[in-house]
Amino acid sequence: MKSCLAFRRALAVPDMLLVLGPPGTGKTRTITEIAVACTGRGERVLITSHTNRAVWSSCRRTSRPCGSETRTP
């Protein structure tokens, strides 16, 4: 499944990964899973899109509110 491949690649790349696809292909779910996994490892995540709705949809599916930051000492 392409979403599993995107997830594995996102956790392996040192800088960024672009998730691209037509509507209904699971992009939001994949991006949310990537964000949860990365923040669980203490990494910072930036989600961008050409629409606010896409960003808020991903943020809403995580346990952290949009705009929140995890700071490590």
Side-chain angles (χ1 to χ4, degrees), residues 49-70:
S49 176
H50 66 282
T51 66
N52 289 340
R53 183 178 181 199
V55 174
W56 282 106
S57 184
S58 289
C59 289
R60 214 177 16 250
R61 293 176 186 212
T62 65
S63 61
R64 299 185 60 81
C66 282
S68 64
E69 267 189 52
T70 303

Side-chain angles (χ1 to χ4, degrees), residues 1 6-7 9 12 14 26 37-38 41-42 47 61 66 69 73:
M1 186 176 258
F7 179 80
R9 284 186 179 172
C38 289
R41 298 188 323 184
I47 300 173
R61 293 176 186 212
C66 282
E69 267 189 52

Side-chain angles (χ1 to χ4, degrees), residues 5-54:
L5 178 61
F7 179 80
R8 288 194 305 271
R9 284 186 179 172
L11 297 182
V13 297
D15 46 16
M16 68 178 158
L17 177 85
L18 174 66
V19 178
L20 183 65
T25 57
K27 293 180 303 299
T28 300
R29 181 177 180 167
T30 300
I31 291 166
T32 301
E33 294 300 323
I34 292 167
V36 169
C38 289
T39 56
R41 298 188 323 184
E43 299 173 345
R44 294 174 62 175
V45 175
L46 173 65
I47 300 173
T48 64
S49 176
H50 66 282
T51 66
N52 289 340
R53 183 178 181 199

